[in-house]
Amino acid sequence: MAAVAQQMKAKQFTTVVSLLEKGDIAIPVPPLDQTGYVKTTQYGTLADIRFGYFHTLINIIETAEQHPGQPIIWFLDEFNRGSQAVQSELMNLVLQRSVNGLQLPKEVKLVLAENPDATMAGFSQTAYGVTTGDPAINDRTVRLVMRADTEDWLSWAKSQVAGRPRVIEPVTRFIEENPELLAPSQHDDDLYPTPRAWARVAANLKSLATLPISQQLAVRYELLRGDLGETVASIFDLFLQRTQAGLTAEEIYQADSDWPAVVTRFQQFTTDQQQTILLTCLKQEQAYPLTVDQNAHRYLTLLNQLPADGQYAVALAMADRPDLLERLANAQAWRQRVIHAPRCNRGG
């Protein structure tokens, strides 16, 4: 909803209907002095109940007065998880666009979000705890059934916030390789993946990364199972074991590292892990330029540990970086090293 509001250049307000109680809307109780009221020029006088539902309505009215013509979206989330009494109180907002004699400004667009229930076509097996809505609302609203879309979710997950992707790379890569598991139709009865669950998995893995590796491995699977269910958690945990890099670019390139020990460690990883390490180093090439002789030497030494198909995969990743290829072509270290690296030539 936030993305839609941004595209419309609209101001969004959100009310979670499942958190409202009967009377929150129809019977606002103001403080017992004049500071508890807000007077508007067009829409009447409102009781200012801070931190409650009515305070949101006040903010909406004030926004409409201060920015006439700007679209306003009032998002009533989890509408059918509110009690029948709360839904009834909201009827005037949805049907008549008024509450307590107060008319909503024309700029306000109401959007309701509901969880699917067993009465909806295609959701007969759903187990959401909801209160079936009044048919009058269904008759006066347009119902759009939202379904998980892998391409859209990946676009959102990879978008940057404060210079970092919203969802960490191992999760997005797994969904790219297994798009059917973003929201699978076949799943465990108790828990199963949803787009929201995958975002939570990414946040948990990011927090786990701050712990020692032994502690990470001790609790990781249980956390995954708690978000994704047994079946998908097993698949994703195996993916993490297979692909997680065990050497950082800093460990590889730092001048005072025990280089022979680094090579020995590298040789102990699986081919998939070795390939992931080298691809990760490519992504950090600006911090550790491969045009520096020592970096070039170390990178090519590790690259030559891979079988031909692994070298070819790394070469393809380099081919997707024309800027990198141009810099490497002009670097004497690479011209000399590639000539004397026949296995790398066969791979790429």
Side-chain angles (χ1 to χ4, degrees):
M1 196 66 248
V4 172
Q6 186 176 22
Q7 291 177 16
M8 293 176 58
K9 298 183 179 179
K11 176 72 174 177
Q12 179 184 328
F13 296 88
T14 300
T15 296
V16 182
V17 176
S18 61
L19 301 180
L20 295 179
E21 299 289 344
K22 178 175 169 50
D24 285 350
I25 302 164
I27 317 174
V29 181
L32 299 179
D33 58 55
Q34 291 302 311
T35 62
Y37 294 90
V38 175
K39 295 183 179 180
T40 69
T41 58
Q42 302 179 57
Y43 307 109
T45 300
L46 302 91
D48 186 355
I49 310 301
R50 292 192 176 277
F51 311 116
Y53 158 86
F54 235 67
H55 194 67
T56 299
L57 183 54
I58 289 168
N59 287 337
I60 289 173
I61 297 297
E62 290 180 338
T63 299
E65 287 201 316
Q66 295 166 9
H67 305 281
Q70 180 187 18
I72 297 172
I73 293 176
W74 193 353
F75 183 44
L76 302 179
D77 198 10
E78 297 189 349
F79 189 86
N80 63 344
R81 298 197 72 179
S83 68
Q84 191 65 60
V86 168
Q87 289 189 39
S88 296
E89 288 181 355
L90 286 168
M91 286 286 285
N92 283 336
L93 271 180
V94 178
L95 305 181
Q96 306 297 332
R97 296 180 58 84
S98 67
V99 60
N100 293 345
L102 181 73
Q103 194 72 26
L104 284 181
K106 66 180 185 303
E107 289 87 353
V108 177
K109 313 297 181 185
L110 289 165
V111 179
L112 285 62
E114 295 183 334
N115 293 113
D117 66 63
T119 67
M120 299 180 183
F123 295 95
S124 59
Q125 302 301 315
T126 188
Y128 282 106
V130 301
T131 302
T132 303
D134 192 304
I137 292 182
N138 296 337
D139 190 47
R140 291 167 173 81
T141 55
V142 177
R143 171 171 288 175
L144 301 176
V145 178
M146 309 299 291
R147 302 186 185 278
D149 182 89
T150 304
E151 185 176 342
D152 285 348
W153 187 84
L154 285 170
S155 177
W156 169 84
K158 293 180 178 181
S159 62
Q160 300 274 317
V161 176
R164 297 179 180 273
R166 294 178 185 272
V167 175
I168 59 175
E169 190 266 348
V171 174
T172 54
R173 184 146 57 93
F174 178 79
I175 296 301
E176 284 177 327
E177 296 180 11
N178 306 273
E180 74 283 359
L181 294 182
L182 177 65
S185 56
Q186 302 295 323
H187 50 67
D188 297 343
D189 291 335
D190 57 343
L191 282 172
Y192 51 89
T194 65
R196 184 178 296 173
W198 282 112
R200 193 165 57 247
V201 163
N204 289 341
L205 290 177
K206 190 174 180 180
S207 297
L208 276 181
T210 63
L211 300 176
I213 187 65
S214 59
Q215 295 181 26
Q216 293 182 40
L217 296 178
V219 301
R220 185 177 72 190
Y221 177 73
E222 293 303 320
L223 284 176
L224 295 177
R225 185 170 66 171
D227 277 327
L228 305 173
E230 186 89 32
T231 301
V232 177
S234 299
I235 298 171
F236 182 56
D237 192 55
L238 184 61
F239 170 85
L240 291 177
Q241 294 177 40
R242 178 172 57 86
T243 61
Q244 277 187 325
L247 272 174
T248 65
E250 182 180 8
E251 291 175 308
I252 291 171
Y253 294 128
Q254 61 186 356
D256 58 350
S257 66
D258 184 352
W259 178 238
V262 169
V263 175
T264 300
R265 282 180 61 192
F266 186 83
Q267 292 170 337
Q268 293 172 349
F269 293 118
T270 66
T271 299
D272 284 340
Q273 289 173 317
Q274 291 174 342
Q275 183 176 313
T276 299
I277 291 169
L278 293 179
L279 292 176
T280 301
C281 287
L282 274 187
K283 294 178 181 179
Q284 302 180 53
E285 195 270 335
Q286 288 188 342
Y288 303 97
L290 291 178
T291 51
V292 174
D293 286 352
Q294 177 181 276
N295 295 349
H297 165 74
R298 293 190 173 191
Y299 192 87
L300 282 165
T301 298
L302 297 183
L303 182 61
N304 282 327
Q305 305 299 315
L306 266 67
D309 56 347
Q311 295 181 19
Y312 182 66
V314 174
L316 286 179
M318 288 183 169
D320 288 335
R321 294 272 308 276
D323 62 315
L324 173 61
L325 292 180
E326 183 177 355
R327 282 185 281 116
L328 296 184
N330 294 325
Q332 183 177 2
W334 275 81
R335 291 200 300 271
Q336 293 175 343
R337 289 288 300 175
V338 170
I339 289 172
H340 298 289
R343 288 185 64 200
C344 184
N345 285 341
R346 289 200 303 271

